[in-house]
Amino acid sequence: MFLDLTARRNSPLIRAAAQLHQSGVIPANTYVIDLDTVRDNAAAMAAEARRVGIRTYLMTKHYNRNPLVTHAALAAGLDSTVAVDVQCAQALRRFGLPLGHVGHLVQIPRHDLPAVLAQRPEVMTVFSVDNARLVSAAAQPLGVVQDILIRVRGRDDIIYPNEEGGVWEADLAAAATDIAALPGVRIAGVVTFPGTLFNPTSRKIEPTTNFATVLRAKDLLTSLGFEIEQVNTPGAGSTQGFEVVARNGGTVAEPGHGLTGTTPTHLYDDTAPERPAITYVSEVSHVFDGRAYVVGGGFYACDTPALIGDDRAFHTEAWRCMAFVGREPDRILDTKVPVDIGSFFGRTNNATDYYGGTLVPDTPADIRPGDSAVYGFRPQVFTTRAHVAVVDGLSTEARLLGLFDRANNLIDRDGLPMDNSTSRVREMIGTT
């Protein structure tokens, strides 16, 4: 997956992860994020977005909505954020960070709508007239009219499992007419996902059939008199794809893995401005019958071999489960061993990842309990029970800025939440 890429383009991150783990500064089951590289990646994406004339909403779920990372990315020039679910919105509110887009991919539950609307998101996605009614009803007592995006579906669109929903294109005119009569909302645009994807054959970002669907939807709504300000077409967002969005009529991209240099494009293109900024380190628990079992908790990757959308990019020689392992950080890159794929994606095989990323050396290797195991993959940290360590200064000496639990509490080395964690973080990022 992204292990070799990280070794080529950001090897200090791998060494720092091993060093921090071996020295006891961070525990096993920790994602380590290089904040300097995050800033560089965000600045590159912001500059490209400005060049082509689109806005950017940062997707924060991949790195567990970490406030230090989100703040750094916005400070580097990305426009705002997108909350994939209500928990993303709540994390932004907790740390005083702006909310640009909410409700896509997950509609906001009814009783959470007032609090989310009070954050004054720029836009909120609705999947149906009924969902729009709920938003309107919650907006009226607040005295606001919420701009909304309609998720439009075409019969040939790409839809990932468990992400179904939206207004069928054939029903759009009637749905828009009904929504327009609601006093608490205003139709401001259309949205889809994925709007662009990486093509492993051409090795380029290309528009999907979904993109064509929302363009037709925009034209239809415009013909009905609606002022369509936003055509939101997220998917594999990074510097390499923003021009594709703009050239084809999109107005907004929502980079997520672009921030950490872990899109399919980066797997194949070492010239991409974004470099890998995240890695996962855990610890060998025990060795049994020639296999080294690694402490689990964070083994979720969206590099799953599903042959849907940009998952196709991983059905190549580049898609290999490997890990660096050792107890000497300066030599961690010397030992790279295969990983059992079934253990890596254990939860998709109906198993709990008590252990995961099991090491299966194909040649003799000196692997012992307590060794660091460092992985490089495209994560969805918000789905895990992993820690997050934010570091900088890797070009000289790694410095830990904060160690967080899964709820984004600052924790001490014993894993206990620090007192006044929220206010401490707000002070760190200047949102007190």
Side-chain angles (χ1 to χ4, degrees), residues 95-111:
F95 297 109
L97 295 164
L99 175 58
H101 179 199
V102 66
H104 195 231
L105 297 163
V106 183
Q107 297 282 272
I108 301 302
R110 177 165 59 98
H111 292 297

PDB file of all heavy atoms in Angstrom, residues 95-111:
ATOM      1  N   PHE A  95     -13.954  22.432  19.432  1.00  0.00           N
ATOM      2  CA  PHE A  95     -12.662  23.110  19.386  1.00  0.00           C
ATOM      3  C   PHE A  95     -12.712  24.460  18.669  1.00  0.00           C
ATOM      4  O   PHE A  95     -11.679  25.047  18.365  1.00  0.00           O
ATOM      5  CB  PHE A  95     -11.619  22.199  18.742  1.00  0.00           C
ATOM      6  CG  PHE A  95     -11.373  20.949  19.541  1.00  0.00           C
ATOM      7  CD1 PHE A  95     -11.802  19.706  19.086  1.00  0.00           C
ATOM      8  CD2 PHE A  95     -10.740  21.009  20.768  1.00  0.00           C
ATOM      9  CE1 PHE A  95     -11.597  18.557  19.831  1.00  0.00           C
ATOM     10  CE2 PHE A  95     -10.517  19.867  21.523  1.00  0.00           C
ATOM     11  CZ  PHE A  95     -10.945  18.637  21.061  1.00  0.00           C
ATOM     12  N   GLY A  96     -13.923  24.954  18.404  1.00  0.00           N
ATOM     13  CA  GLY A  96     -14.068  26.281  17.845  1.00  0.00           C
ATOM     14  C   GLY A  96     -13.619  26.418  16.408  1.00  0.00           C
ATOM     15  O   GLY A  96     -13.154  27.483  15.989  1.00  0.00           O
ATOM     16  N   LEU A  97     -13.803  25.351  15.623  1.00  0.00           N
ATOM     17  CA  LEU A  97     -13.370  25.341  14.230  1.00  0.00           C
ATOM     18  C   LEU A  97     -14.579  25.478  13.305  1.00  0.00           C
ATOM     19  O   LEU A  97     -15.682  25.054  13.640  1.00  0.00           O
ATOM     20  CB  LEU A  97     -12.614  24.045  13.936  1.00  0.00           C
ATOM     21  CG  LEU A  97     -11.297  23.900  14.720  1.00  0.00           C
ATOM     22  CD1 LEU A  97     -10.800  22.466  14.686  1.00  0.00           C
ATOM     23  CD2 LEU A  97     -10.243  24.854  14.167  1.00  0.00           C
ATOM     24  N   PRO A  98     -14.392  26.067  12.120  1.00  0.00           N
ATOM     25  CA  PRO A  98     -15.533  26.361  11.246  1.00  0.00           C
ATOM     26  C   PRO A  98     -16.104  25.110  10.575  1.00  0.00           C
ATOM     27  O   PRO A  98     -15.393  24.134  10.330  1.00  0.00           O
ATOM     28  CB  PRO A  98     -14.931  27.310  10.202  1.00  0.00           C
ATOM     29  CG  PRO A  98     -13.484  26.931  10.146  1.00  0.00           C
ATOM     30  CD  PRO A  98     -13.118  26.560  11.560  1.00  0.00           C
ATOM     31  N   LEU A  99     -17.384  25.196  10.264  1.00  0.00           N
ATOM     32  CA  LEU A  99     -18.093  24.116   9.580  1.00  0.00           C
ATOM     33  C   LEU A  99     -18.579  24.634   8.233  1.00  0.00           C
ATOM     34  O   LEU A  99     -19.389  25.551   8.175  1.00  0.00           O
ATOM     35  CB  LEU A  99     -19.277  23.647  10.433  1.00  0.00           C
ATOM     36  CG  LEU A  99     -20.214  22.606   9.822  1.00  0.00           C
ATOM     37  CD1 LEU A  99     -19.452  21.342   9.439  1.00  0.00           C
ATOM     38  CD2 LEU A  99     -21.343  22.278  10.787  1.00  0.00           C
ATOM     39  N   GLY A 100     -18.073  24.034   7.157  1.00  0.00           N
ATOM     40  CA  GLY A 100     -18.474  24.465   5.822  1.00  0.00           C
ATOM     41  C   GLY A 100     -19.648  23.672   5.272  1.00  0.00           C
ATOM     42  O   GLY A 100     -20.644  24.235   4.829  1.00  0.00           O
ATOM     43  N   HIS A 101     -19.536  22.341   5.290  1.00  0.00           N
ATOM     44  CA  HIS A 101     -20.529  21.461   4.669  1.00  0.00           C
ATOM     45  C   HIS A 101     -20.839  20.333   5.647  1.00  0.00           C
ATOM     46  O   HIS A 101     -19.933  19.755   6.251  1.00  0.00           O
ATOM     47  CB  HIS A 101     -19.967  20.907   3.353  1.00  0.00           C
ATOM     48  CG  HIS A 101     -20.882  19.960   2.635  1.00  0.00           C
ATOM     49  ND1 HIS A 101     -20.420  19.080   1.670  1.00  0.00           N
ATOM     50  CD2 HIS A 101     -22.220  19.739   2.724  1.00  0.00           C
ATOM     51  CE1 HIS A 101     -21.438  18.374   1.198  1.00  0.00           C
ATOM     52  NE2 HIS A 101     -22.531  18.751   1.829  1.00  0.00           N
ATOM     53  N   VAL A 102     -22.107  20.000   5.792  1.00  0.00           N
ATOM     54  CA  VAL A 102     -22.507  18.941   6.700  1.00  0.00           C
ATOM     55  C   VAL A 102     -23.707  18.213   6.101  1.00  0.00           C
ATOM     56  O   VAL A 102     -24.443  18.764   5.293  1.00  0.00           O
ATOM     57  CB  VAL A 102     -22.853  19.526   8.094  1.00  0.00           C
ATOM     58  CG1 VAL A 102     -24.081  20.415   8.033  1.00  0.00           C
ATOM     59  CG2 VAL A 102     -23.031  18.436   9.140  1.00  0.00           C
ATOM     60  N   GLY A 103     -23.871  16.933   6.490  1.00  0.00           N
ATOM     61  CA  GLY A 103     -25.000  16.153   6.004  1.00  0.00           C
ATOM     62  C   GLY A 103     -24.664  15.212   4.868  1.00  0.00           C
ATOM     63  O   GLY A 103     -25.537  14.498   4.384  1.00  0.00           O
ATOM     64  N   HIS A 104     -23.411  15.182   4.459  1.00  0.00           N
ATOM     65  CA  HIS A 104     -22.990  14.314   3.369  1.00  0.00           C
ATOM     66  C   HIS A 104     -21.644  13.718   3.754  1.00  0.00           C
ATOM     67  O   HIS A 104     -20.693  14.477   3.976  1.00  0.00           O
ATOM     68  CB  HIS A 104     -22.845  15.127   2.077  1.00  0.00           C
ATOM     69  CG  HIS A 104     -22.756  14.289   0.838  1.00  0.00           C
ATOM     70  ND1 HIS A 104     -21.766  14.453  -0.095  1.00  0.00           N
ATOM     71  CD2 HIS A 104     -23.524  13.279   0.387  1.00  0.00           C
ATOM     72  CE1 HIS A 104     -21.931  13.595  -1.076  1.00  0.00           C
ATOM     73  NE2 HIS A 104     -23.011  12.872  -0.800  1.00  0.00           N
ATOM     74  N   LEU A 105     -21.586  12.468   4.006  1.00  0.00           N
ATOM     75  CA  LEU A 105     -22.463  11.425   3.502  1.00  0.00           C
ATOM     76  C   LEU A 105     -23.614  11.052   4.443  1.00  0.00           C
ATOM     77  O   LEU A 105     -24.539  10.326   4.051  1.00  0.00           O
ATOM     78  CB  LEU A 105     -21.636  10.152   3.245  1.00  0.00           C
ATOM     79  CG  LEU A 105     -20.557  10.272   2.184  1.00  0.00           C
ATOM     80  CD1 LEU A 105     -19.575   9.165   2.302  1.00  0.00           C
ATOM     81  CD2 LEU A 105     -21.168  10.326   0.807  1.00  0.00           C
ATOM     82  N   VAL A 106     -23.578  11.491   5.696  1.00  0.00           N
ATOM     83  CA  VAL A 106     -24.556  11.042   6.677  1.00  0.00           C
ATOM     84  C   VAL A 106     -25.503  12.194   7.015  1.00  0.00           C
ATOM     85  O   VAL A 106     -25.070  13.268   7.432  1.00  0.00           O
ATOM     86  CB  VAL A 106     -23.869  10.533   7.960  1.00  0.00           C
ATOM     87  CG1 VAL A 106     -24.905  10.008   8.937  1.00  0.00           C
ATOM     88  CG2 VAL A 106     -22.850   9.427   7.628  1.00  0.00           C
ATOM     89  N   GLN A 107     -26.800  11.943   6.866  1.00  0.00           N
ATOM     90  CA  GLN A 107     -27.798  12.942   7.231  1.00  0.00           C
ATOM     91  C   GLN A 107     -27.777  13.178   8.745  1.00  0.00           C
ATOM     92  O   GLN A 107     -27.533  12.252   9.525  1.00  0.00           O
ATOM     93  CB  GLN A 107     -29.184  12.484   6.793  1.00  0.00           C
ATOM     94  CG  GLN A 107     -29.334  12.333   5.281  1.00  0.00           C
ATOM     95  CD  GLN A 107     -29.513  13.684   4.596  1.00  0.00           C
ATOM     96  OE1 GLN A 107     -30.616  14.183   4.453  1.00  0.00           O
ATOM     97  NE2 GLN A 107     -28.396  14.281   4.180  1.00  0.00           N
ATOM     98  N   ILE A 108     -28.035  14.409   9.147  1.00  0.00           N
ATOM     99  CA  ILE A 108     -27.993  14.745  10.564  1.00  0.00           C
ATOM    100  C   ILE A 108     -29.276  14.268  11.251  1.00  0.00           C
ATOM    101  O   ILE A 108     -30.381  14.584  10.801  1.00  0.00           O
ATOM    102  CB  ILE A 108     -27.820  16.265  10.749  1.00  0.00           C
ATOM    103  CG1 ILE A 108     -26.536  16.736  10.068  1.00  0.00           C
ATOM    104  CG2 ILE A 108     -27.812  16.639  12.234  1.00  0.00           C
ATOM    105  CD1 ILE A 108     -25.273  16.060  10.550  1.00  0.00           C
ATOM    106  N   PRO A 109     -29.141  13.514  12.336  1.00  0.00           N
ATOM    107  CA  PRO A 109     -30.341  13.071  13.061  1.00  0.00           C
ATOM    108  C   PRO A 109     -31.193  14.260  13.516  1.00  0.00           C
ATOM    109  O   PRO A 109     -30.680  15.335  13.817  1.00  0.00           O
ATOM    110  CB  PRO A 109     -29.760  12.295  14.255  1.00  0.00           C
ATOM    111  CG  PRO A 109     -28.423  11.826  13.778  1.00  0.00           C
ATOM    112  CD  PRO A 109     -27.912  12.923  12.898  1.00  0.00           C
ATOM    113  N   ARG A 110     -32.482  14.031  13.596  1.00  0.00           N
ATOM    114  CA  ARG A 110     -33.447  15.111  13.809  1.00  0.00           C
ATOM    115  C   ARG A 110     -33.149  15.948  15.041  1.00  0.00           C
ATOM    116  O   ARG A 110     -33.158  17.172  14.985  1.00  0.00           O
ATOM    117  CB  ARG A 110     -34.855  14.502  13.913  1.00  0.00           C
ATOM    118  CG  ARG A 110     -35.966  15.501  14.217  1.00  0.00           C
ATOM    119  CD  ARG A 110     -37.325  14.877  13.922  1.00  0.00           C
ATOM    120  NE  ARG A 110     -37.550  13.678  14.692  1.00  0.00           N
ATOM    121  CZ  ARG A 110     -38.255  13.630  15.832  1.00  0.00           C
ATOM    122  NH1 ARG A 110     -38.773  14.733  16.327  1.00  0.00           N
ATOM    123  NH2 ARG A 110     -38.440  12.489  16.460  1.00  0.00           N
ATOM    124  N   HIS A 111     -32.863  15.294  16.164  1.00  0.00           N
ATOM    125  CA  HIS A 111     -32.687  16.049  17.401  1.00  0.00           C
ATOM    126  C   HIS A 111     -31.313  16.711  17.505  1.00  0.00           C
ATOM    127  O   HIS A 111     -31.075  17.515  18.416  1.00  0.00           O
ATOM    128  CB  HIS A 111     -32.941  15.154  18.612  1.00  0.00           C
ATOM    129  CG  HIS A 111     -34.377  14.746  18.739  1.00  0.00           C
ATOM    130  ND1 HIS A 111     -35.393  15.650  18.951  1.00  0.00           N
ATOM    131  CD2 HIS A 111     -34.973  13.520  18.629  1.00  0.00           C
ATOM    132  CE1 HIS A 111     -36.548  15.014  19.003  1.00  0.00           C
ATOM    133  NE2 HIS A 111     -36.329  13.725  18.795  1.00  0.00           N
TER     134      HIS A 111
END
